[in-house]
Amino acid sequence: MKQEIEDLLAFFARSRKHMSYETIDERLEQELEDGSKLIGPYQEDIERKSFQFFDNYKVFEEEEFEGRETILVNGCEKWFREYHGGFIDKNFVKKAQEVFEVLKEGMKCFPMQQPHKRGATKLMIKDYLYEDSCEGGFEKYHGVEKIFYQGKQIYELVYFGQLS
């Protein structure tokens, strides 16, 4: 079991670097019939097992969104993360593109040994501060991601996940 968890962790870290919201161009996302978007699969074969990563998310009015990331091994779900978030200050919806660029930069700085963490613990980008706090380990965890503009919180996302 320990080796499987290590393989899952390493695979997830690599998948985030190659094919995730923070690293791919929107043109690579597939739009599904229900209006959600699908990123993936990112796939690798590790010791005769097929690992796949998917991120399926949906954007609602005023740039609120929710989603689920999944890792499959040989077609069976082994790990997931669910998330829901959006703007606390609706005045920033008009700056969504700018805020989401900050979000992507924060997410790109996730710790490689803790890829279940959404992003950097703290990252300052111009007038924005990205923060991510996470409790627990890859096996079971929860966290909150926040973005502040000039000290005022404008965005929040809550997430949780675990081994399946």
Side-chain angles (χ1 to χ4, degrees):
M1 183 69 165
K2 186 178 182 208
Q3 184 60 50
E4 184 177 41
I5 292 172
E6 288 176 13
D7 289 345
L8 286 167
L9 266 168
F11 169 75
F12 186 44
R14 287 190 302 274
S15 67
R16 289 192 66 186
K17 292 292 184 186
H18 293 285
M19 185 175 288
S20 63
Y21 172 76
E22 64 267 27
T23 58
I24 70 161
D25 186 299
E26 286 180 4
R27 293 173 292 179
L28 296 176
E29 298 174 342
Q30 300 172 46
E31 183 131 1
L32 303 179
E33 288 182 20
D34 66 358
S36 68
K37 295 184 180 186
L38 180 66
I39 299 170
Y42 175 75
Q43 185 168 331
E44 290 181 7
D45 290 328
I46 303 169
E47 296 190 23
R48 294 181 289 192
K49 294 181 183 174
S50 174
F51 285 67
Q52 294 179 306
F53 167 75
F54 297 89
D55 183 0
N56 180 235
Y57 72 95
K58 190 167 189 170
V59 179
F60 301 97
E61 289 184 28
E62 297 191 321
E63 301 298 330
E64 288 200 22
F65 55 94
E66 65 184 21
R68 181 180 174 95
E69 294 166 296
T70 309
I71 295 176
L72 304 178
V73 178
N74 293 336
C76 296
E77 182 179 292
K78 294 293 183 179
W79 176 91
F80 73 90
R81 170 170 50 203
E82 293 188 4
Y83 55 89
H84 177 87
F87 287 92
I88 292 171
D89 185 337
K90 299 301 181 186
N91 293 318
F92 277 83
V93 170
K94 63 184 176 274
K95 290 186 170 187
Q97 226 21 59
E98 183 175 303
V99 174
F100 290 152
E101 288 305 314
V102 170
L103 174 64
K104 287 179 179 185
E105 288 305 310
M107 290 176 70
K108 285 178 187 175
C109 296
F110 71 91
M112 288 296 285
Q113 299 301 81
Q114 297 175 299
H116 59 284
K117 197 170 174 341
R118 286 268 298 181
T121 300
K122 288 188 179 207
L123 181 65
M124 196 73 190
I125 302 171
K126 297 182 184 174
D127 289 333
Y128 292 94
L129 172 64
Y130 172 94
E131 289 185 353
D132 181 32
S133 61
C134 180
E135 294 183 25
F138 187 71
E139 294 87 353
K140 187 172 186 175
Y141 60 92
H142 63 276
V144 179
E145 175 182 72
K146 298 177 182 179
I147 297 177
F148 298 83
Y149 179 76
Q150 296 180 343
K152 179 182 177 190
Q153 186 178 350
I154 61 168
Y155 163 93
E156 183 171 287
L157 177 134
V158 176
Y159 63 93
F160 67 92
Q162 65 185 39
L163 294 174
S164 300

